[in-house]
Amino acid sequence: MSKSRVSRRHFLKGLAASGAAVALTGCNTSQPTKAVSEKTNILIITADQLSKKGVGAYGNPVAPTDHIDKIINAGTRFEQVHTPYPLCSPARACFWTGHLPQVTGVTGNDSANIPTELTTLGDIFSKAGYNCVHYGKRHDFGALRGFDATPETQLPLTAPEAFPVDYDSREDLFALQKALEFFQDPGEEPFLLAVEFNNPHNICSWVGAFEGPHGDIPGIGELPELPDNFEVLDWESLPAGVAYQCCNHFRVKQASHWTDKNYQQYLKAYYHYTGMGDTCIGQVMKALEKSGKADNTLVVFFSDHGDAMGSHRLVTKHAFFYEETSNVPFALAGPGIPKGKSVDALGSLCDLVPTLCDYAGLQAPEGIYGRSLMPLVQGDEPADWRQEVVSQWFSERNETTDMPARMLRTKDYKYTVYRENNDEQLFDLKKDPGENYSLVNDPAYSEVLADMRERFKNYVAATNDNFYQQSVTVDPQWRSHKPGYPNHTGGSAMDAIIEKRKAINEAKAARDLQGA
């Protein structure tokens, strides 16, 4: 096998070797962060759609995340980092800039590019002399400015019948190949390397492949148990934007009539794709170790957002803010980072930019929502540290249903509000970690609800969030059946858009043929 290329045979062999050892060194717990050289390399690794609840190091006993766990256990983990938006592109625009969506302007997977005046992480580090390189999933809408970003490319990859692969896994193979090539000759200048893997995002197309109720799947193996919060206790109490997820997006529609066993199969597939991503990450970490750069490299691992993992009979992610989709893994490991430490303070993916700037001794942009996590790593929580963290939703694509929604989470409570019908939810996360019982109408929580509403009002004013000016666009046909996914009939808003695009393309092709 060529030294500059990883073969697909080797890659597939690696997928089976989930227990392969991967070393991570350079975790000096005695060296204070301020003494870390600005020449320290930085390796950012992300896994798309990986929930914190889907990671072994965070307590999941069946998660196939051996290599991710090694990174987390070798450094400092964060328990309460939340995505600013549970969707790929908006989340990425946020963590590459430190700004919330109302500033980046990326409020869907088809938005315009971020404003040119916004400073990105790549801008900062490239100007500071770092070799900024990016492989893998982009979806950045200009937020990767400053990086030498290689185009997403698919390589052939076979898969068992139970776990079909799509572009996600095929692009991961290419991203892995490029990362391994990079570490064969990383050069002498300091680097900021971002390797962004899609998996376990491949679970999305798995839902489509196994749409509707079905029986056993040959070769799928032993099935995991369903989560404790699998059942929906009261469909009528849910916000319309949640109760009609089957009408909002085709993935929940495709799973709407699944049996309990089908949801177990979904979880098994989710873990399978998680394992594929974990194996890729393990090979990157092994290449870092072999390069001789591990002792002087900070490793940052996180996910852009989570996955419903079958909670509340939901799949994938969309306009809901349950912990499975909002709470993501986030860890730092390397020079100056304490080993085996856990931080429970509230964090946001927007904190990535100021945290890495602080670590490297660089100036972070002013006026961003994000804050440096380094004081928390050092065990010195600032007196003014945030008491709540937020997440947003507007739309998946501008052509589909617009459902402005927000989450505001404190240590103990979660408040969500939807512009549609002014629907609200309130959860006591200490007593009800599965978020099964909304307390909006519980008199015993009237003061808590008033406090959360006031906190949200203050957040809106402080950040110039245009939530109250955002309009709701929901076709009545997507609210026509009785609330609840098992009651779903017909298509979804996303299906309608796909059909509309298909008709437009066919009409264009016909015109082109006539003009030829």
Side-chain angles (χ1 to χ4, degrees):
M1 182 176 65
S2 169
K3 291 184 177 181
S4 63
R5 188 176 180 87
V6 58
S7 70
R8 285 175 286 282
R9 179 181 178 185
H10 180 70
F11 173 75
L12 290 169
K13 181 180 179 181
L15 292 182
S18 58
V22 176
L24 177 66
T25 62
C27 297
N28 181 358
T29 61
S30 63
Q31 182 184 12
T33 302
K34 291 181 180 179
V36 174
S37 167
E38 66 178 1
K39 298 297 185 182
T40 301
N41 305 305
I42 299 174
L43 170 61
I44 297 173
I45 302 176
T46 70
D48 193 307
Q49 204 159 309
L50 179 60
S51 173
K52 194 189 85 171
K53 289 189 176 183
V55 178
Y58 283 104
N60 188 319
V62 300
T65 54
D66 291 353
H67 305 312
I68 292 171
D69 295 346
K70 289 179 186 296
I71 297 173
I72 294 172
N73 293 331
T76 295
R77 78 186 70 191
F78 290 81
E79 306 291 341
Q80 292 300 337
V81 168
H82 291 262
T83 182
Y85 202 116
L87 190 66
C88 301
S89 297
R92 282 174 162 74
C94 290
F95 67 65
W96 291 128
T97 65
H99 288 286
L100 289 171
Q102 64 262 32
V103 179
T104 68
V106 182
T107 56
N109 275 344
D110 61 347
S111 296
N113 280 0
I114 66 170
T116 56
E117 62 269 19
L118 291 189
T119 302
T120 68
L121 184 71
D123 285 335
I124 298 167
F125 277 79
S126 61
K127 291 176 183 176
Y130 282 76
N131 178 25
C132 297
V133 180
H134 182 280
Y135 302 128
K137 183 159 186 171
R138 297 179 63 166
H139 280 221
D140 61 294
F141 289 93
L144 279 174
R145 188 176 59 241
F147 280 91
D148 179 6
T150 299
E152 297 153 313
T153 303
Q154 300 181 41
L155 295 179
L157 181 62
T158 59
E161 180 181 350
F163 308 110
V165 295
D166 63 5
Y167 70 93
D168 287 313
S169 297
R170 293 192 289 267
E171 288 179 356
D172 279 359
L173 180 55
F174 180 74
L176 172 62
Q177 177 177 293
K178 297 302 293 183
L180 299 189
E181 290 174 357
F182 176 90
F183 281 118
Q184 288 178 4
D185 184 16
E188 296 303 319
E189 61 182 330
F191 62 78
L192 170 57
L193 172 63
V195 186
E196 296 204 72
F197 292 111
N198 289 310
N199 270 320
H201 192 277
N202 203 146
I203 190 63
C204 295
S205 65
W206 187 95
V207 176
F210 294 93
E211 177 177 1
H214 51 272
D216 294 338
I217 300 175
I220 198 169
E222 184 178 354
L223 301 179
E225 296 295 321
L226 291 171
D228 293 337
N229 59 349
F230 168 69
E231 292 291 354
V232 176
L233 304 180
D234 182 9
W235 290 105
E236 298 288 344
S237 69
L238 295 179
V242 179
Y244 288 97
Q245 275 297 311
C246 48
C247 295
N248 300 333
H249 195 268
F250 64 144
R251 294 306 183 198
V252 179
K253 180 211 71 173
Q254 290 165 340
S256 59
H257 298 295
W258 273 358
T259 65
D260 289 7
K261 186 174 185 178
N262 295 155
Y263 280 98
Q264 289 180 276
Q265 294 166 339
Y266 173 85
L267 264 181
K268 181 60 179 281
Y270 182 71
Y271 289 137
H272 175 84
Y273 297 120
T274 296
M276 289 180 68
D278 182 75
T279 300
C280 289
I281 291 168
Q283 292 194 41
V284 172
M285 293 303 300
K286 185 175 181 179
L288 169 64
E289 183 70 23
K290 290 178 64 177
S291 74
K293 298 288 186 177
D295 288 339
N296 192 40
T297 299
L298 171 72
V299 178
V300 187
F301 173 77
F302 61 93
S303 177
D304 59 343
H305 56 76
D307 182 277
M309 295 182 66
S311 68
H312 310 279
R313 288 188 173 268
L314 285 164
V315 297
T316 69
K317 75 287 180 186
H318 206 262
F320 47 88
F321 303 100
Y322 296 118
E323 288 292 280
E324 286 80 4
T325 51
S326 72
N327 190 193
V328 297
F330 192 100
L332 304 169
I337 304 298
K339 182 177 181 179
K341 182 175 183 177
S342 172
V343 175
D344 196 46
L346 292 169
S348 168
L349 288 182
C350 292
D351 297 336
L352 178 70
V353 169
T355 298
L356 295 187
C357 287
D358 192 2
Y359 182 87
L362 303 175
Q363 182 65 46
E366 295 182 359
I368 60 176
Y369 175 75
R371 298 187 59 175
S372 173
L373 299 171
M374 291 311 300
L376 304 176
V377 173
Q378 296 170 325
D380 182 23
E381 183 173 331
D384 65 345
W385 190 256
R386 63 167 69 97
Q387 297 301 302
E388 60 270 323
V389 67
V390 298
S391 188
Q392 303 187 9
W393 184 269
F394 179 68
S395 181
E396 179 176 12
R397 296 182 185 276
N398 291 325
E399 302 168 276
T400 58
T401 299
D402 295 336
M403 298 180 300
R406 300 291 187 270
M407 176 198 84
L408 185 142
R409 190 201 194 283
T410 65
K411 281 286 191 70
D412 296 334
Y413 300 102
K414 179 182 289 186
Y415 172 74
T416 67
V417 57
Y418 290 75
R419 289 280 288 143
E420 183 178 3
N421 306 325
N422 294 316
D423 288 335
E424 297 173 296
Q425 291 174 298
L426 176 67
F427 298 108
D428 185 332
L429 297 171
K430 296 295 184 183
K431 295 182 179 179
D432 179 27
E435 300 167 282
N436 291 304
Y437 306 96
S438 177
L439 305 168
V440 168
N441 297 316
D442 189 332
Y445 284 84
S446 60
E447 291 186 7
V448 174
L449 178 60
D451 176 65
M452 297 298 279
R453 285 171 171 168
E454 184 67 17
R455 287 174 181 266
F456 182 72
K457 178 181 176 181
N458 293 337
Y459 146 75
V460 169
T463 63
N464 293 314
D465 187 344
N466 61 347
F467 174 70
Y468 293 114
Q469 287 73 49
Q470 291 179 333
S471 61
V472 178
T473 307
V474 180
D475 191 307
Q477 68 175 312
W478 310 129
R479 298 292 184 266
S480 60
H481 64 68
K482 185 179 179 181
Y485 322 135
N487 301 312
H488 182 79
T489 59
S492 71
M494 181 60 73
D495 289 314
I497 292 304
I498 293 173
E499 288 301 315
K500 178 182 177 182
R501 291 177 180 172
K502 181 180 178 181
I504 292 173
N505 291 335
E506 289 177 349
K508 182 179 182 301
R511 290 194 302 270
D512 292 343
L513 185 62
Q514 290 176 353

